[in-house]
Amino acid sequence: QVQLVESGGGLVQAGGSLKLSCAASGRAFSSYTVGWFRQAPGKEREFVSAISRSGGNTYYAESVKDRFTISRDNAKNTVYLQMNSLKPEDTAVYYCAAHRSFKVTTTDPYDYDYWGQGTQVTVSS
């Protein structure tokens, strides 16, 4: 089992940057594929990005490709989401999640077993 805690959210102007962190506790963090999701008010939770257990493979939603970068440091049990060129439509609560499958292209939130509590990202225009 793994516990996840997100941090790094905040208020930023359009065009700005934020870096989110997802710190994991528990055993064998490197055996989990980790993803980021977001949920805006009144909308469904949507996939943002995922990274493989070793960090060698990544996957992005089209809406964030070329603006967001996911990475991980297994020695620190942490996954990061660097968000650049932020837009008002990126405003949402951002969650990290983990599952044991090797598939980095898993985008359905129901396929993820463990979730953090979320961190708010607000992008002003």
Side-chain angles (χ1 to χ4, degrees):
Q1 193 169 359
V2 64
Q3 294 80 41
L4 304 172
V5 178
E6 303 94 336
S7 62
L11 173 64
V12 64
Q13 289 188 331
S17 298
L18 280 175
K19 186 173 184 178
L20 306 183
S21 298
C22 173
S25 60
R27 304 177 70 176
F29 174 66
S30 60
S31 65
Y32 291 89
T33 295
V34 177
W36 285 96
F37 289 77
R38 65 188 182 186
Q39 188 165 18
K43 295 188 176 181
E44 293 188 351
R45 192 167 297 190
E46 66 170 349
F47 171 81
V48 174
S49 181
I51 189 164
S52 63
R53 292 175 288 189
S54 68
N57 292 307
T58 58
Y59 188 63
Y60 297 92
E62 285 296 324
S63 59
V64 306
K65 196 175 291 184
D66 299 327
R67 299 189 298 124
F68 291 9
T69 302
I70 192 170
S71 62
R72 71 190 294 165
D73 185 340
N74 285 339
K76 295 183 178 180
N77 280 9
T78 303
V79 170
Y80 305 97
L81 186 68
Q82 176 68 48
M83 305 186 295
N84 298 328
S85 302
L86 282 162
K87 305 174 181 180
E89 51 263 44
D90 293 318
T91 295
V93 177
Y94 282 71
Y95 300 89
C96 66
H99 67 80
R100 282 191 171 273
S101 167
F102 68 91
K103 285 182 61 178
V104 73
T105 55
T106 300
T107 61
D108 189 336
Y110 288 101
D111 290 329
Y112 284 76
D113 302 309
Y114 304 102
W115 290 83
Q117 83 290 347
T119 185
Q120 176 71 46
V121 171
T122 303
V123 184
S124 62
S125 57

